[in-house]
Structure formats: C-alpha cells, structure tokens
Amino acid sequence: MTSVASDRDAAFLASIAQIADDVARANSDDVDRNARFPVETIDALREARVLSAFVPEELGGDGVSLRAIASACFELGRRCGASGMVLAMHQIQVVTIVRHLDAQGADSFFHDYVRSVASEQRLIASVTSEVGTGGDMGQSIAALTPNADGTASFEKQAPTVSYGGYADDLLTTLRSGPDAGPGDQVAVLTRKDQHALEQNGTWDPLGMRGTCSPGYVVRATLAPEQVLAAPFTEIMTESMVPVSHILWSHLWMGVATDAFDRARAFVRAAARRKPGEPIPAALALSHVMRDLSLLRAEVRSALDEFLAEDDRERMATMAFALRFNNLKLAASEQAPRVCQGALNVTGIVGFKNDTPYSVGRHLRDTMSACLMVANERIHQTNAGLLLIAKEV
Amino acid sequence: VSSAVREIVQEHGRLAVDLTTLPDDASLYEAGMTSHASVNVMLALEDAFDVEFPDEMLTRGVFESVAAITAALQKLHVQAA
C-alpha cells in the first residue's frame, strides 16, 4: 500500500474511532431499549463522508481500502452493534456496485449513481431475502417485469429489510424476467422516489434492535439501465457473499470484543478492591480470551486471504465459496460464545442492563448472527459442495 | 503521594523487614517483595489512585522502590493525595 493510501485509511479510521466513542457509545443503550434507528450515529457518518469512503476518488469518494472498511465495522460494532450492522450492510452494497462497475460500460447510470452516493451521502439498503424462498439468496420469486413504456416494475415480499424506512436507495434481487427460472437473478438499484415500501408487521426483536428491519412489500418502477450488468452469479460469488461475511464478522467481533473488555474490567475492578485474594472470575475470563482469540484468528485470516487473492477466477471456485461460508459459520457461532462467556464472568452484574459491565445487549446482538442467512442454509450449500469439490 | 505508597506497600508488599526502617530508595525486592506481591501492590495502587499502569510501565524497575513507584505515579499525573 502506498503511503498516500495508508494515510487516507488512517484519517478515515480516526474519524470512525471518534464517532464510535463519542456518538455511537452514547446512544447505544437508548437505541437498543427503544428499538430505534441510530440516527445520530448515521448522521455523524454522513457528516464524515463515511458512506462513500469506499467509492474511488475519481468518482468523488475517498478511495479507502476494504481493510479499513472492515476495521470501521469492527470499531463501530464495539460501541453499538446495530450501528455497526447498518454501516456494514451499506458498505456491502457500495462495495458490490463499485467492484462490478466495469461491466456497466463507461459513464453508466451506476457511475452517476456512485457519484451521488458521494455527493449526497446516500444510504443504501438491500432487499435480498424473500417470503417463500426458504432463505435461499440464490433464488427469487419476484420478477422484473417490462412495461409498455420501456420501464420495468417489480413487487417483492421481503420478510425483513434492514433500515428500510431510513434508506435512500434499495438494491433488490429479482428474477431477471417474468419467464426466468428462480435462480436466474439480477440486482437492481432504485432511488427513494422510484419505490414504495409498505410495511407489514412490527419490529420488536431480541437483538440488533436498532437496525429497524421489519417486513415490507416493496414496489418499484425503474429504467433498464438500473440493472447491474455483470452476471448475477459473479456479483454473488465475487462480492456480495464474501464481502458480507467479512464485514458482518468484523462487526460481530467488535461486539464480542466489547463484551470481553467489560468482563476484563469487571475482573480487574474485583482484583483492585482485594489485591491478593483469589478471584474465580479471573479464571473464567481466561476461557473467554481463548474464545475471542479463535474468533480473531478466523476473522483476520479470512480478510487477509480475500485481499491477498483478489483474483476473480479463484473466487468462482468451490474452495473459495466454502472458505467464506465457513467464515460466516465460525464467526456467527463464536461471537455469541464470547458474549456468553463474558456473562459467565460478570454474573448478575453483567446480566443487569444498567451497569458498566452489562453484556446482555452484546449477547442478544450476536445471537442474530446465526440467523442472518441461516447457518443451516449455509451448511446445506456446503454439504452439496463437499460432495463434489476436490480441493477444500 | 509517597506516604500513601508506603501504606500500600506495607499492606500488600509482604516485605521481610519493616518498611518504616527503609528509605524511599531502598530496593523492595531486596526487602523480600516477590513478583506476586508486586502485582498486588500494583492493583492496590490502581485502586487507591484511580489510575491504570499501561503495559509498558509494568516493569520490575517501576516497582523497585517507594521512590520509583512515586515517580511512576507522578508520570501518570497523580496529584499529591
């Protein structure tokens, strides 16, 4: 990395650290308690131009590296899991669009769109899951349907759209046409003035409460140029899936790290009060450290492997798919394990929601990890791949 | 600060000799303080002065004597108690 690029990353991460410590931390309990959108944090991210951080400089962004984006998800996750998740999901859409811009040709709708993400700090949500597909992201029921005037429309029943009510724009997966098979998909980008969200159901979940992710019926009309041109399977395997798993696992690691830090502070406070006396919780803390270091090792090595081998052909291999599916399985199981261990250390003081050592929110937030693309669905995919893959 | 440090060393340092007979610059290790006891001294200092010793200050030298500990605390901006 050149020094200009690393300076840019450092400046970006300094502003993230400040927002995490000053804004996200101050609001995290209220966001959680009231299941409300972390509006202060997202406003601060907009102010600091974080929403376009990954956009190349020639398109008006800051050209920050994916490694720095991952670190940002980790840092924000440490202070507010829901804010970290909103940042991660937005960046997944940005990274996905930017990584496949070349397929659009020069000066496309998407080039202009990415410029507007930078100039207007537009927040992008995704509409991927769908009622009736059994959680399989590789299949759609809703179809992009051409209209007589050259535009196209769709209607999609989404069981959840994270921060759907707060996003400017939506990236939606659909069947490519009314006659297309369930796996023949496209991704389309619609602006707020092109789609309508009809909320169905409420949002009062166990964790990640600030992501505000109720179900919606999404209806939109768009121009054909708003369809991502790259083949959807490439978009999925090269970007959407591995980048999701990398950024999600970083923010889960952030939440788990804060739970560990709280458990450690708890043990240290006990040790200071009575130096020399045995502290049973200190031993329990060592178990939590082991679980956290396994999580760190997996998350960091996966990011290193992705960056070292940003080779699109390799990304089409089964070994690559298995690698990043396993990152998701491992991180989503390990993060709540760390939080549960932290609760074991802190006991009733951690169980209560209003102490400096509270870890309930952390445990609840990380329990969502195994559901975001259900782990059993991923195991099903892996099971199929393992039957035929030679190199794993 | 140094009298407060003396109180803590007296309570947690497990010295083989009476601390009141030692000058501020006498070696606490030579006076019988084990490394285990020095950890307890550090924890008690952190509690009493509401400070945290950063990892780079957790060296044998910093806890060598009442004078060394006092200097370390002053480096951590502890005002006279």
Side-chain angles (χ1 to χ4, degrees):
Chain A
M1 185 185 282
T2 68
S3 65
V4 174
S6 59
D7 286 353
R8 210 159 39 202
D9 281 2
F12 167 72
L13 288 172
S15 69
I16 290 287
Q18 194 186 1
I19 293 167
D21 287 347
D22 296 351
V23 187
R25 182 181 2 215
N27 291 289
S28 58
D29 283 337
D30 188 62
V31 163
D32 179 57
R33 191 171 302 117
N34 296 308
R36 70 157 178 91
F37 188 66
V39 59
E40 303 88 347
T41 306
I42 305 307
D43 281 351
L45 294 175
R46 280 195 165 105
E47 187 72 23
R49 297 181 46 81
V50 170
L51 300 193
S52 60
F54 187 79
V55 170
E57 280 178 301
E58 62 268 26
L59 295 174
D62 292 335
V64 160
S65 71
L66 186 62
R67 184 180 294 281
I69 299 287
S71 295
C73 294
F74 168 76
E75 288 298 338
L76 206 51
R78 285 175 76 168
R79 301 301 172 225
C80 174
S83 300
M85 181 53 82
V86 174
L87 176 67
M89 295 186 86
H90 168 81
Q91 298 295 350
I92 291 161
Q93 328 310 333
V94 173
V95 172
T96 298
I97 293 170
V98 167
R99 278 169 62 83
H100 298 275
L101 262 185
D102 287 349
Q104 305 297 140
D107 282 331
S108 69
F109 164 84
F110 280 96
H111 287 84
D112 286 340
Y113 176 70
V114 166
R115 280 189 199 98
S116 74
V117 171
S119 60
E120 300 164 28
Q121 293 295 301
R122 302 179 73 87
L123 181 66
I124 317 171
S126 70
V127 187
T128 47
S129 58
E130 185 168 14
V131 176
T133 59
D136 185 351
M137 298 296 164
Q139 298 203 352
S140 290
I141 296 166
L144 189 62
T145 306
N147 298 317
D149 62 358
T151 63
S153 298
F154 69 84
E155 175 177 317
K156 181 167 178 171
Q157 313 278 335
T160 66
V161 179
S162 289
Y163 57 95
Y166 299 87
D168 296 303
D169 307 310
L170 299 176
L171 191 67
T172 306
T173 54
L174 301 163
R175 283 188 296 132
S176 62
D179 302 324
D184 178 1
Q185 291 170 293
V186 289
V188 305
L189 191 285
T190 51
R191 292 169 179 268
K192 202 168 199 162
D193 58 0
Q194 295 179 307
H195 57 240
L197 292 169
E198 182 193 328
Q199 184 174 335
N200 55 22
T202 56
W203 179 248
D204 184 12
L206 182 67
M208 284 293 174
R209 292 168 58 82
T211 60
C212 297
S213 314
Y216 292 96
V217 181
V218 182
R219 297 183 183 87
T221 298
L222 58 140
E225 63 193 15
Q226 293 174 250
V227 180
L228 276 177
F232 186 72
T233 50
E234 276 178 23
I235 295 172
M236 283 275 271
T237 58
E238 294 172 8
S239 303
M240 214 180 245
V241 172
V243 172
S244 295
H245 295 173
I246 287 168
L247 296 189
W248 289 347
S249 63
H250 272 81
L251 86 92
W252 296 330
M253 178 169 76
V255 178
T257 299
D258 191 54
F260 171 77
D261 285 341
R262 287 175 181 222
R264 196 157 65 105
F266 176 83
V267 169
R268 288 169 55 83
R272 286 169 169 196
R273 275 193 304 274
K274 293 175 179 173
E277 288 190 21
I279 311 157
L283 196 58
L285 183 66
S286 173
H287 289 255
V288 185
M289 172 89 254
R290 173 209 52 200
D291 284 333
L292 179 63
S293 62
L294 280 174
L295 175 62
R296 279 182 184 167
E298 171 65 2
V299 171
R300 289 174 178 169
S301 68
L303 175 64
D304 287 343
E305 286 172 46
F306 184 83
L307 296 175
E309 305 182 30
D310 197 354
D311 158 359
R312 303 290 174 106
E313 271 184 28
R314 190 188 127 69
M315 292 182 179
T317 64
M318 287 181 281
F320 184 87
L322 283 163
R323 171 69 188 94
F324 287 91
N325 282 349
N326 283 319
L327 163 65
K328 198 280 174 175
L329 294 172
S332 64
E333 288 171 8
Q334 198 68 1
R337 190 172 294 147
V338 170
C339 298
Q340 173 117 40
L343 181 58
N344 210 23
V345 170
T346 54
I348 185 67
V349 181
F351 191 68
K352 289 160 77 171
N353 280 328
D354 54 356
T355 79
Y357 310 109
S358 302
V359 291
R361 169 170 58 79
H362 305 69
L363 181 57
R364 290 183 288 100
D365 280 356
T366 52
M367 286 177 81
S368 72
C370 66
L371 310 174
M372 292 191 59
V373 186
N375 280 6
E376 282 311 298
R377 163 62 61 188
I378 295 179
H379 276 300
Q380 218 164 37
T381 306
N382 283 2
L385 291 172
L386 283 168
L387 289 178
I388 46 175
K390 300 296 182 292
E391 285 177 44
V392 299
Chain B
V1 175
S2 79
S3 65
V5 170
R6 279 180 168 270
E7 257 178 57
I8 285 167
V9 173
Q10 183 80 29
E11 188 179 350
H12 298 286
R14 298 190 181 196
L15 302 187
V17 299
D18 182 0
L19 182 61
T20 56
T21 65
L22 296 177
D24 276 4
D25 60 354
S27 167
L28 298 172
Y29 297 112
E30 280 175 21
M33 184 172 73
T34 62
S35 59
H36 179 72
S38 72
V39 170
N40 292 334
V41 167
M42 182 210 77
L43 289 167
L45 289 166
E46 287 192 340
D47 191 45
F49 293 100
D50 194 25
V51 291
E52 291 211 334
F53 287 95
D55 287 355
E56 61 270 18
M57 283 180 78
L58 298 182
T59 61
R60 204 175 156 82
V62 167
F63 299 94
E64 176 74 39
S65 64
V66 170
I69 293 170
T70 306
L73 287 169
Q74 272 154 358
K75 210 169 150 192
L76 292 172
H77 307 296
V78 171
Q79 303 303 314

